[in-house]
Amino acid sequence: MRTSHRFPPVLATTVCFALLVAVACGERPNPASGGVQTVVAVVDLQIGTVLGDGPESFGYIGGVLADAQGRILIVDYQANELRVFDSLGVSQFTSGREGSGPEEFRGPCCLAFRPGGELWVRDGGNHRYAAFAFEEAGADL
């Protein structure tokens, strides 16, 4: 019997994001000098917890996006929710649940804004896109 070991989703996402930032911002090696690429990275903000409940506890992150107001939008593929945090990482509101009706998802991912400001979320399990109009205290589907 084969067993597999996995990082907790939040830890794995944080590590992947930190590595992405580090690779994107690192210095390139100088091939002429035989130099080795070195990278220094700093975590500016961390959202999520390995243990616990609530909006800071993620199952599987399907997408992350920031809006013009500095809010951070995260879709949890496993929980079928869109979660919105302020620029400091404090939870503002959650929208969605599992299902196929209005304000329901089956595997949300892939966030994008339309030029008019409307948020689109790919809802793969329901074979559609959900569109959200944002307000201060919530989002209308």
Side-chain angles (χ1 to χ4, degrees), residues 1-5:
M1 183 163 107
R2 190 173 136 180
T3 60
S4 64
H5 300 283

Side-chain angles (χ1 to χ4, degrees), residues 54-72:
E56 293 83 11
S57 180
F58 296 98
Y60 180 85
I61 295 175
V64 177
L65 187 65
D67 70 4
Q69 290 77 34
R71 294 181 291 192
I72 302 159

Side-chain angles (χ1 to χ4, degrees), residues 8-63:
V10 171
L11 178 60
T13 301
T14 301
V15 169
C16 289
F17 182 71
L19 288 174
L20 174 66
V21 170
V23 170
C25 300
E27 295 181 21
R28 303 288 181 225
N30 182 350
S33 69
V36 176
Q37 181 176 358
T38 60
V39 178
V40 176
V42 176
V43 176
D44 286 333
L45 176 67
Q46 178 177 333
I47 298 174
T49 179
V50 175
L51 301 173
D53 294 326
E56 293 83 11
S57 180
F58 296 98
Y60 180 85
I61 295 175

Side-chain angles (χ1 to χ4, degrees), residues 46-92:
Q46 178 177 333
I47 298 174
T49 179
V50 175
L51 301 173
D53 294 326
E56 293 83 11
S57 180
F58 296 98
Y60 180 85
I61 295 175
V64 177
L65 187 65
D67 70 4
Q69 290 77 34
R71 294 181 291 192
I72 302 159
L73 295 69
I74 303 174
V75 287
D76 189 321
Y77 185 92
Q78 184 176 342
N80 294 294
E81 294 177 339
L82 168 66
R83 300 177 190 171
V84 179
F85 298 85
D86 69 13
S87 62
L88 299 174
V90 176
S91 176
Q92 300 298 296

